[in-house]
Structures are given as C-alpha cells and as structure tokens.
C-alpha cells in the first residue's frame, strides 16, 4: 500500500485480465471512512461511477446520512480509468487494455482480503457504473456480499444504453485532436459535444418540459446547457473517458467462465439481499431492465424493486442537489441495512 494525497493505493502487481492481457503494476486507488470493527462485519463497499473519483461521491458519507461512517467502515475503490486508479492518463501501458467489471471487482476483492482481512461485506452500494459493479460483486462473490443496493444500474449494459454510449464516443472522437486511437491534446470541441449529448439523456422529458433547471438559478435553457453540461467532463482526461466507456459497454455479470454468458444463471448465483432502485425516468438504465432481472434473482435472500419517484432522470440516483430524491434513497437504504 502507498499513500497519495488524501487516498491510498493498493499495488496489485501484474494482473491477468479477462482480455488475456496482463496489466503490469496495476494500481487501485481507494479511500476509507470510519473504523473497521473487531468482527470486521461493518463493511460497506461503494464503487465509483463514470468519470467520478472518490471526492465526487463522498458527499453521501456523513453521520446520520445514507452511508454513516460512525457505524460502518466504508471503502470507495476508484474504478480503473478514472485518473486515480490505473488509467491511460497515469500509465505508460499502450494501447490501454480492455478492462471489465470482473477485472475491477477481482482487484477490489484482493484489496479487502489482503489489506484488511475482510471476509464479509454488509453492503455493496453503487450508482450507475457503481451499481453495475455492485451487481458483479453480488454475482461473483455471493459468499462475501450480504446486501447489494443497485441504484440506477443493471446486470448488463442494454443495447439501448450501448447505442447511447456509441453516440458519446462518436461526439468525442470526432474532435481533430483524436489521432491513431488516442487524443494528442485536450479535445475541447469533442468534450463540449459529449456534454450536450449527455444533457439530453441524463435528465428527463419532464425536467425540460417544466424548466426545472430554473430551480438551480439558470435563466434560460442555453444558460443551463452551457453552465452545466458544456464543462461537465472537461476536468477529465479524454483517453480516460474512452477507457471507462469501454468498461461500461462491456458490462455483463454473465461474461465470465463461471456463467458462460448465461444471464439467468448469473442472476441465480446471487444470494444477497438485493435492492434495485432505478430512477423512474432514467433513460440510461431503464426500469424495465430491473423488472426483467428481479424475477431471476431466485436464490437471493430477498429482492425488491423500488424505483425512485423523480423527474431528475439518471441524476435521481446521485441527488446531491435534489433533497426529495436524497430523502427517498436515505429511507430505503436505512431500512435495507436492517434486513
């Protein structure tokens, strides 16, 4: 383990990936909150979402909040490609290998076991790409996971979601700074185009119809798009963004030798208590995907589908600025942790 800034780094060594490539000297950045109890059974794993680093998501961790560090030992593992864990921007590995959620969760498990001696996880909680990781945790390590909360996520990337991401990639890579499979310089035009596409998908029809953006102080739709979305991804390295889009598109809990591509078999392997919380108006991870999954969670201790009643689309699952959505999730997770 090494320390960098306000987080630690787990040195995983040379890691064989599902793509049959060995990633040399792989590094997993993580941060912990709270204290591990003597029984080591108060663990919450909280993986990061697309382009997010732990600083972007730790608002959820506060005394009496959705994830309470006074009761739980919370670990945020930074997903590969986010600029802190091994990413195109901080390694010399070229071309950057195709990493899967299975690869990511395997290294996260090594961190828990080798660094902390953890054998049981009280809860894996994740939003969006974090939710997909939570699903992978529950399917691949059913003996470790007691509860899995999948917020605006799914067991695999749907074709509809895949097409959305193709549009994002096309907008980004159309920038003239994309050459020979990499960005030679910051693609300002591509990042702005990417943000505009995201704006249409991230929020709901009702959000725009009712001009809800005015609640945040914007005076016009263009003002909102320019102030919120044109710069949404500019702080991130574009090569890192492409790497994470690939992880997202490849997401599928069944794509490993154990399940052989059989999603029904993969879902049946889950034995945790499962809470599926899609956003009622989310277009990335449609409620119907979770509806199809829940009937196949036949060996889960319990499986419940509680959509977030919100017009905030995908953002309902990360409601830093939406008190009603935050209160809904808080109440659901509080009850869920009592199971």
């Amino acid at each position: 383990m090494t320390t960098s800034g306000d987080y630690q780094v787990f040195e995983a060594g040379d890691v064989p990936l599902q793509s049959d490539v060995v990633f040399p000297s792989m590094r997993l950045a993580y941060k912990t909150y709270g204290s591990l109890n003597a029984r080591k059974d108060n663990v919450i794993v909280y993986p990061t979402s697309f382009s997010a680093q732990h600083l972007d998501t730790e608002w959820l961790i506060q005394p009496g909040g959705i994830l309470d560090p006074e009761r739980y030992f919370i670990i945020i593992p930074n997903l590969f490609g986010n600029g802190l864990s091994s990413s195109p921007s901080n390694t010399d590995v070229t071309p950057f290998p195709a990493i899967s959620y299975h690869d990511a969760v395997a290294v996260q498990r090594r961190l828990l076991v080798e660094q902390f001696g953890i054998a049981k996880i009280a809860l894996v909680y994740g939003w969006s790409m974090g939710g997909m990781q939570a699903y992978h945790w529950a399917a691949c390590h059913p003996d470790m996971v007691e509860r899995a909360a999948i917020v605006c996520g799914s067991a695999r990337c749907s074709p509809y979601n895949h097409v959305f991401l193709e549009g994002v990639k096309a907008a980004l890579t159309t920038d003239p700074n994309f050459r020979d499979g990499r960005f030679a310089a910051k693609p300002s035009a591509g990042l702005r185009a990417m943000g505009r596409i995201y704006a249409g998908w991230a929020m709901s029809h009702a959000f725009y119809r009712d001009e809800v953006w005015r609640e945040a102080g914007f005076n016009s739709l263009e003002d909102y798009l320019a102030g919120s979305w044109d710069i949404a991804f500019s702080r991130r390295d574009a090569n890192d963004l492409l790497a994470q889009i690939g992880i997202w598109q490849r997401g599928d809990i069944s794509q490993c030798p154990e399940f052989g591509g059989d999603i029904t078999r993969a879902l049946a392997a889950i034995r945790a208590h499962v809470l599926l919380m899609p956003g009622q108006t989310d277009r990335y991870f449609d409620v119907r995907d979770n509806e199809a999954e829940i009937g196949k969670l036949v060996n889960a201790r319990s499986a419940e589908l509680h959509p977030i009643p919100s017009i905030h689309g995908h953002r309902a699952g990360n409601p830093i600025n939406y008190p009603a959505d935050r209160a809904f999730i808080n109440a659901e997770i509080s009850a869920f942790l009592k199971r």
Side-chain angles (χ1 to χ4, degrees):
M1 180 192 77
T2 58
T3 301
S4 179
D6 72 331
Y7 61 92
Q8 291 75 47
V9 176
F10 175 66
E11 305 287 351
D14 296 345
V15 176
L17 304 178
Q18 280 193 319
S19 59
D20 293 328
V21 172
V22 174
F23 196 112
S25 303
M26 206 166 195
R27 304 168 79 246
L28 175 65
Y30 68 96
K31 187 173 179 179
T32 66
Y33 310 77
S35 300
L36 185 62
N37 65 16
R39 296 185 302 277
K40 298 186 177 182
D41 63 356
N42 68 329
V43 177
I44 292 177
V45 178
Y46 177 26
T48 57
S49 53
F50 178 66
S51 83
Q53 298 177 353
H54 61 274
L55 288 171
D56 301 306
T57 60
E58 64 183 2
W59 67 271
L60 204 68
I61 302 171
Q62 52 187 293
I66 295 173
L67 304 181
D68 190 343
E70 294 184 347
R71 298 182 57 197
Y72 294 97
F73 180 62
I74 303 160
I75 303 173
I76 298 184
N78 287 271
L79 181 60
F80 297 115
N82 82 337
L84 296 182
S85 292
S86 290
S87 307
S89 64
N90 61 19
T91 70
D92 295 325
V93 181
T94 53
F96 195 76
I99 296 174
S100 70
Y101 287 125
H102 288 88
D103 297 325
V105 168
V107 178
Q108 291 172 23
R109 180 182 179 277
R110 283 185 54 198
L111 165 68
L112 267 61
V113 173
E114 296 175 21
Q115 194 68 41
F116 299 104
I118 292 168
K120 289 288 184 182
I121 301 171
L123 170 67
V124 184
Y125 177 100
W127 168 64
S128 192
M129 286 184 80
M132 297 180 84
Q133 290 171 79
Y135 239 140
H136 279 71
W137 261 107
C140 298
H141 304 292
D143 293 333
M144 288 187 72
V145 179
E146 295 183 355
R147 301 171 189 84
I150 293 93
V151 183
C152 300
S154 61
R156 59 184 173 186
C157 182
S158 70
Y160 190 65
N161 199 339
H162 184 95
V163 170
F164 153 66
L165 293 168
E166 283 297 301
V168 170
K169 281 197 301 186
L172 194 55
T173 57
T174 298
D175 190 286
N177 285 310
F178 185 70
R179 304 166 197 157
D180 301 320
R182 284 183 60 85
F183 291 98
K186 184 174 181 177
S188 298
L191 288 166
R192 180 180 181 276
M194 175 182 174
R196 292 273 168 150
I197 290 176
Y198 244 89
W201 283 74
M203 314 308 289
S204 72
H205 175 277
F207 177 87
Y208 289 109
R209 179 197 63 205
D210 298 342
E211 299 186 347
V212 177
W213 38 265
R214 291 189 183 277
E215 296 176 3
F218 295 103
N219 297 316
S220 69
L221 179 58
E222 177 59 25
D223 186 28
Y224 166 71
L225 294 174
S228 291
W229 292 102
D230 286 359
I231 59 172
F233 300 101
S234 61
R235 60 183 176 150
R236 297 292 182 238
D237 181 274
N239 292 304
D240 290 354
L241 294 173
L242 282 184
Q244 288 210 325
I245 289 170
I247 296 173
W248 187 343
Q249 288 185 309
R250 288 186 289 274
D252 185 338
I253 62 172
S254 72
Q255 290 301 317
C256 62
E258 183 178 0
F259 304 128
D262 187 337
I263 192 68
T264 299
R265 182 179 171 191
L267 288 167
I270 295 173
R271 296 199 293 272
H273 295 284
V274 178
L275 175 60
L276 300 176
M277 274 197 296
Q280 190 67 60
T281 55
D282 190 352
R283 299 178 66 199
Y284 298 169
F285 299 94
D286 195 282
V287 174
R288 289 167 291 189
D289 290 332
N290 286 164
E291 289 173 343
E293 293 161 358
I294 197 165
K296 298 176 182 178
L297 294 168
V298 293
N299 293 313
R301 293 187 184 95
S302 65
E304 299 182 25
L305 176 66
H306 294 174
I308 305 167
S310 169
I311 66 169
H312 296 124
H314 188 59
R315 292 289 181 180
N318 187 41
I320 188 170
N321 296 316
Y322 307 126
D325 299 345
R326 186 164 62 246
F328 179 88
I329 295 173
N330 198 359
E332 290 289 333
I333 295 301
S334 178
F336 189 52
L337 282 167
K338 295 175 183 176
R339 287 180 176 78

